[in-house]
Amino acid sequence: MDHLSQIYLDANATTPVLPQAAAAASFAMETLFGNPSSSHISGLQAKAIMTQTRQRATQVLGAGNGEVIFTSGATEGIQTAILSALCNVRTRIDNTKDYCLLYGATEHKAVPESLKHWNKILGINAQLKAIPVDSSGKLDLDFIAKEAPNALMICTMAVNNETGVFQDLSLLDKTIRANNSDIFWLVDCVQALGKTDLALAKTTIDYAVFSGHKLYAPKGIGFVYIKENTPFTSFIAGGGQENGLRSGTENLPGMAALNVIFAMLLGQSEHSFTPPAQLEKFRQQLVGALKQAFPSIVFNHGFENSVATTINFSIAGLSSKEMMDLFDAANIRVSSGSACSSKVTGSFVLDAMGLSQWQSESAIRMSFGPAMTQQKVDLACERIIYCAQALNHSCLTLGSDDLANKSEVSGLLQFKVGGSCTWLYVDHTTKSAVIIDPLPQLDQRLKTLLTCQSLQLIAVIDTHGHADHVSCRVALADLLLKGQQTDKLGWPDDTPVMAIDGENYQYINIGAQRLVKVPTPGHTDDSISLLLTQYVQASKRIQADYVFCGDLVLMGSLGRTNFATSSTPAMYSSLQSLYQLVGSETLICPSHDYHHDFATSFGAEMARNNLLAQVLSKEIEPTQFSHHKALLDQNINDQVGREIMCGAFVESCRKNVVEHHNRDSLAAAMAQDSPVQLVDIREAHEYALAHGQEFNQNVPISRLVQFAQRHQQDKTQQIIFICRSGSRSQQAAQALARLGFSNIGHLEGGYALN
Ligand code: PLP
């Protein structure tokens, strides 16, 4: 299997420049470098390329007598069209009327943002209205018919960049013109070029915009079509190039490259693109491989409504970010429908189509261009299957392949969904597991993991009744703990009791460890903390490895106490008694991690949370604490994205000192006599797919807290984290530095840049 070559399936984001287009651009830079405005021979030669490119563009677009003006890209084209249309309507606005500007709800952000911008700058103050789409992504024609009479401009797209869904332009044309013959109509054709036939002059489209880098030309060249006799206002004034319509010395290398692409589209070149019927076969083949690899896959658009070069899908239980990381590790470049940030955000395009939240948050887009080849499709299919095997290997999915061949799970795992955490503790010797605060989005993943690893679930426990989500505890318990009697948080009935410092606490055995329940009311009246401890028989003391404290202590924060069942005085005592039990070093594992802190300790929190430090040192009384806490809770930003915040932050996250390595400093560190741990922090399935990096130790970031716990005894050892892009390695390094590790570094830019 070819592990090294890159498979690029992100053509809707941008394409490589085709060698023949690059050669033409290079020739234009090195040989035909004249300024098209110069009247000498070099200038004339340059101008000839420009003229030919424009003629070919006119032919490709079916532009008739319309103008084709070269721009820097589609975003400039969009400004040009909107400015032109709005400057014209401004002169005839009736101040007694209410106007609107219409745009498709799934439009690229460049369109609504530009409309908003020019509407404001030009003082038009029309209302912006998004035209809804149906579940297949088609624009609501009734809405257009209703709103068009009062609209000044309507902006639609020919083909959507996330889903490939195309609109029926002739039906739109009829609908728009039947309701308003004067309205200016802009069509964003960026994703349509080379994928659908365009005959613009036969439509009433006023402006259409295009971008070269979506079809194998370089970045920095695009063009805009303007219908004959349609108003135009220059967006860039100056030396009068482009017939005075768009000033600035022309991007001749870009035009030379486009010229080659147009020749291919027109069949005037020795090179040719793959015909549409073959592209459809490529899509079917990729879809077949995806279905085989991920049987639960859901496609987010109808193939009959979309161009053959785009596939948008979601796999239940796997986020866009996870799939992106997986594909990247297999050297397949794809794109996520959603922004990959710490906050879970979905795709606004899929949201507008009314798809479910999980589809939107798990969306992956694979896209290719008309230069795709059979060989690349075959290789992509092979790699897709390989990716699925890696997921089976790390038990994220259950494959039919050998269950014995799994990477074994042992100890503590942290799962995150947005800013919330679920914790799983696995005792390797007894093959038993405990789950704490199971998030509903993880239900399937947890079940899969338990089955795949042949683990017996002993208990599934919530640390409190969560206000921000419904736990999936009951669903898991109903399936895996049939007949177990518990309280309402899942703590089993009739558990044994042990005495610690004269107090009795219930516990559960998990292998040689004990999970001890400590009531810690405050955030809610039912809040508990769970201590995972070794019981030292001789001293009758406990030595906790981890404390699962729910929303009592949050990283950089304390759980909110402004719910009906909250009590600030109770939180005051809970903090003190928990501190008494576990001390300042034990790792605290809360049920939220809003800032990639992973875990904390009372010591680390006291260093940045003065209020907590005052409570633990008893410098303040419960009443003073209540007063300060109430003020803090007033600052809670109730809802961030789709999440409800469960704590008020006392301080923005301070950066800790970590070493930022580059390739040279890493090599120097590795050549030292003193031992260095080079830790690959990617997930196990990514690591399994990556080749040539086996010399590094793999500690999946979901097991970082366990890694920290196991290295608590020597916090001076040099550790350098490494990952795909340098983002997770930096988070891991920051987290350990905050926990008091003094010699921590990470490789900036990760494998991607080194
Ligand atoms: N419109 C659509 C549909 C796009 O996909 C893009 C690029 O992502 C743009 C507009 C912006 O194009 P450009 O990068 O040329 O400014």
Side-chain angles (χ1 to χ4, degrees), residues 57-71 77-78 80-81 84 185-187 189 198-210 222-232:
T58 306
Q59 255 183 294
V60 167
L61 306 185
N65 293 329
E67 287 282 352
V68 174
I69 301 170
F70 291 104
T71 60
I78 291 166
T80 308
S84 298
W185 182 17
L186 161 65
V187 181
C189 291
L198 294 162
L200 295 176
K202 290 195 181 143
T203 70
T204 71
I205 295 169
D206 295 292
Y207 309 96
V209 296
F210 300 86
F223 46 103
V224 52
Y225 156 86
I226 301 141
K227 194 173 184 57
E228 197 182 4
N229 300 324
T230 295
F232 185 86

Side-chain angles (χ1 to χ4, degrees), residues 78 188 195 712:
I78 291 166
D188 176 342
K195 299 165 197 166
Q712 287 272 60

Side-chain angles (χ1 to χ4, degrees), residues 12-14 71-78 106-111 157-162 188-192 209-214 219-222 365:
N12 289 8
T14 195
T71 60
S72 62
T75 303
E76 185 192 323
I78 291 166
T106 56
E107 221 62 24
H108 187 280
K109 284 290 171 215
V111 168
M157 70 200 311
V159 173
N160 183 267
N161 47 308
E162 284 192 27
D188 176 342
C189 291
V190 168
Q191 300 290 347
V209 296
F210 300 86
S211 180
H213 73 98
K214 309 285 181 175
K219 289 151 192 73
I221 185 80
R365 175 187 73 190

